């Protein structure tokens, strides 16, 4: 086997990152003003000139339940069901004051714009509660406005009758409360993330100006992307929750990329280069690593397009856009800003922080790494054992689409919802059979519905109560609500769905010519979602893993490096899954104020793609420095030690920034946001410590020169050296070849 080192003929100062960096330094006014103009125009266009109707909550489901939902949406007028609860612990519905309150709230609602179908009040069995149901006609945009008026009317009734409790809850009011809470938490998370990030970077650089540069790049990248999502949403609907993801990923990668760039520029200046040469050297090395890393992350994110769920495509678009914007900013405005500032980048130094930084950081990692490299086999076995143990709980992971039970009870509308459920308990869960025909009231269809009802009545172990039927105004759709014995998504509910889809529906309404029949409901929708995601997982895994393999193969000209990187990343993701299961499903996070329950069905695939992409960040940056030292003539062991030691402080700071940003979302009131924040934070922490600090150096030392093994059949791959050839600076001489390997 022969492994050849890159030679000086590679001319890395001609790579695209170096050329862009050189242009940016030479045209720094254009670069800075151009970036600011780009961000400004993106924000103006996105938030002022483009309607936001396509930035919404996407509820389309896959499979049969999705078809049922589409039929219902087409057949029935858009409206939102709302309820006003009148309640008292002491008074009953027969009391004159209670009757007056019911009459008052009903009258106010009838005279409120946008409110229709105010029904007579229902009284609870104990007589202490009354429920006034009404509807808000129109689509989500219309009900978003009309629910404000209905809430005001109910609040006015409450003020007029302070001796009773009068509150509103329903689809539109819950959606409004969730959106308001989400916007509030998003603003708080952004503010806290910026503050924590600035503090961490201040400790890293010891200077306020240097610390502020990565924060500004991350923030402007997020703002530009959020603006660009407006025009993009006109081509394809964008899920509103993608904004959370853009903030998460944008701040993380934006800060990380600029942190590595600024850190390398400072190292080059400390090595004796002048300011502009140091920037060019940073562009040729860290800038190139940013391009490779960013492209790898974007390719991984593109795997979500193959997820089979509409929301995933929306997430993929948002994450790819924000990473692309961060990469462009790192290559253009960042070198121009550093060139403009010059030595002023060290302004605002904090001596005390600087002294602390000099005592720790790389020194701690250096001593730790020396111990790992002295006993690589023992270190690798212990680290791998710990991560495999953390992965074991994944075998018992349970997933759920979630619902009202996962919505925060910090919201008054949800507490009202719970009071309504307590006073007017439902009969249990149910499934829905949606029938579409030219005439849903024709004798054939009615006869089929009767057969459907008889078949469910014959199975009391799965179905209970009498089904109810509702026809659309044009008589083309009939919806049959069938009460089930199960509790939503348990085994009994799933068996009921299987019976409906497998036998009952096909043998009744399903075998009538010209009739379409679809089964939906909570259990059916959850099963369809999980089936769709599971069936697409092989495509996502194959795409992400093969793309990462090819990128790393070409970048590092090694067959071993990409295989090992994929194995380590899978171990990192698996252990994060395990921690997520322990914290939420097994309730270990309750003591920290976190929610508990099954893992969100969309989260495992989402986390895999995001974490695999982000894990490649550290891998590319570290291995770039290792390969650089190796190409300069160091042995593999020495190159590993120098590469990891020289990046340890930066990687640690970058990881702490990511963990801080992600942890902010763990403070959300929404269970699914908590799960996403904890999952991402845990995975990044594991990746930056156990994976990059122990397993990577240990396995690289054990493999030795086999790390760089490339079969002769792949010798045609391009040679991409990582050594800058700019202005003179101390450097080790290059050697042309390695000794022959066995």
């Amino acid at each position: 086997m022969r492994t050849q080192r890159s030679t000086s003929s590679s001319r890395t100062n001609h790579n695209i990152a170096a050329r862009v960096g050189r242009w940016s330094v030479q045209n720094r006014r254009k670069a800075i003003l151009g970036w600011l103009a780009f961000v400004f125009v993106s924000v103006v266009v996105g938030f002022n000139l483009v309607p936001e109707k396509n930035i919404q909550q996407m509820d389309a489901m896959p499979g049969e339940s999705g078809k049922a939902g589409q039929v219902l949406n087409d057949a029935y007028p858009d409206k939102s069901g709302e309820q006003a609860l009148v309640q008292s612990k002491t008074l009953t519905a027969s009391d004159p004051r209670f009757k007056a309150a019911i009459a008052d709230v009903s009258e106010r609602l009838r005279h409120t714009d946008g409110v229709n179908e105010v029904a007579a009040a229902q009284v609870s069995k104990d007589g202490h509660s009354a429920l006034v149901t009404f509807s808000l006609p129109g689509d989500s945009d219309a009900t978003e406005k009309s629910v404000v008026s209905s809430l005001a009317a109910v609040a006015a009734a409450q003020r007029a009758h302070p001796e009773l409790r009068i509150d509103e809850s329903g689809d539109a009011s819950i959606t409004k409360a969730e959106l308001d809470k989400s916007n509030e938490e998003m603003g708080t998370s952004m503010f806290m993330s910026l503050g924590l990030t600035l503090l961490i970077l201040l400790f890293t650089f010891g200077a306020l100006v240097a610390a502020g540069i990565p924060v500004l790049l991350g923030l402007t990248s997020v703002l530009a992307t959020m603006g660009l999502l407006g025009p993009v949403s006109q081509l394809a609907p964008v899920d509103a929750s993608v904004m959370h993801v853009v903030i998460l990923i944008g701040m993380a990668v934006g800060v990380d990329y600029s942190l590595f760039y600024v850190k390398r520029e400072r190292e080059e200046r400390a090595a004796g280069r002048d300011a502009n040469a140091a920037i060019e050297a940073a562009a040729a090395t860290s800038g190139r690593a940013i391009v490779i890393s960013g492209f790898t992350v974007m390719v991984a994110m593109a795997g979500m397009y193959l997820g089979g769920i509409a929301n995933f495509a929306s997430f993929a678009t948002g994450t790819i856009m924000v990473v692309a914007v961060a990469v462009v900013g790192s290559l253009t405005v960042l070198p121009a800003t550093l060139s403009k500032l010059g030595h002023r980048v060290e302004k605002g130094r904090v001596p005390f922080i600087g002294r602390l930084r000099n005592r720790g950081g790389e020194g701690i990692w250096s001593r730790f790494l020396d111990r790992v490299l002295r006993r690589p086999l023992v270190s690798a076995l212990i680290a791998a054992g710990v991560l495999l143990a953390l992965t074991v709980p994944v075998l018992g992971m349970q997933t759920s689409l979630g619902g009202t039970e996962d919505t925060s009870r910090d919201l008054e509308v949800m507490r009202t919802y719970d009071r309504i459920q307590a006073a007017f308990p439902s009969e249990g869960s149910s499934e829905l059979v949606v029938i579409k025909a030219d005439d849903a009231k024709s004798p054939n269809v009615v006869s089929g519905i009767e057969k459907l009802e008889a078949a469910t009545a014959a199975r009391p172990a799965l179905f209970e109560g009498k089904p109810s039927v509702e026809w659309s105004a044009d008589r083309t759709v009939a919806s049959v609500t069938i009460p089930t014995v199960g509790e939503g998504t348990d085994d009994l509910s799933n068996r009921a769905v299987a019976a409906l889809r497998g036998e009952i529906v096909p043998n009744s309404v399903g075998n009538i010519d010209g009739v379409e029949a679809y089964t939906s409901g909570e259990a059916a929708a959850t099963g369809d979602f999980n089936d769709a995601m599971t069936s697409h997982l092989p495509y996502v895994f194959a795409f992400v893993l093969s793309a990462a393999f090819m990128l790393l193969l070409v970048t590092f000209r090694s067959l071993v490096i990409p295989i090992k990187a994929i194995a380590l990343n899978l171990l990192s993701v698996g252990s994060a899954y395990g921690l997520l299961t322990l914290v939420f499903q097994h309730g270990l996070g309750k003591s920290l104020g976190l929610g508990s329950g099954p893992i969100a069905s969309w989260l495992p695939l989402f986390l895999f793609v995001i974490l695999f992409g982000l894990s490649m960040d550290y891998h590319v940056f570290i291995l770039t420095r290792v390969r650089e030292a190796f190409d300069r003539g160091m042995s593999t062991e020495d190159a590993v030690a120098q590469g990891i030691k020289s990046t340890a402080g930066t990687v640690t700071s970058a990881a702490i920034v990511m963990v801080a940003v992600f942890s902010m979302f763990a403070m959300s009131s929404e269970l699914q946001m908590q799960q996403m924040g904890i999952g991402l934070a845990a995975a990044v922490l594991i990746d930056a410590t156990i994976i990059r600090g122990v397993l990577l150096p240990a396995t690289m030392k054990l493999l030795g020169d086999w790390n760089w093994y490339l079969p002769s059949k792949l010798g045609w791959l391009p040679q991409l050296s990582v050594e800058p050839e700019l202005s003179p600076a101390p450097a080790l001489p290059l050697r042309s070849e390695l000794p022959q390997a066995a």
Side-chain angles (χ1 to χ4, degrees), residues 652-681:
T652 301
S653 299
I656 293 174
V657 167
M658 277 198 182
V659 171
V661 171
F662 296 153
S663 296
M664 291 300 99
F665 286 82
M667 299 169 61
S668 170
S669 59
E670 294 297 322
L671 179 62
Q672 294 190 1
M673 287 294 104
Q674 291 179 8
Q675 291 177 350
M676 183 174 70
I678 291 294
L680 289 170

Side-chain angles (χ1 to χ4, degrees), residues 300-320:
M301 304 304 183
M304 284 188 282
Y305 286 123
L306 304 177
I309 309 295
N311 306 67
F312 288 153
S314 182
F315 289 157
T317 300
T319 51
I320 289 172

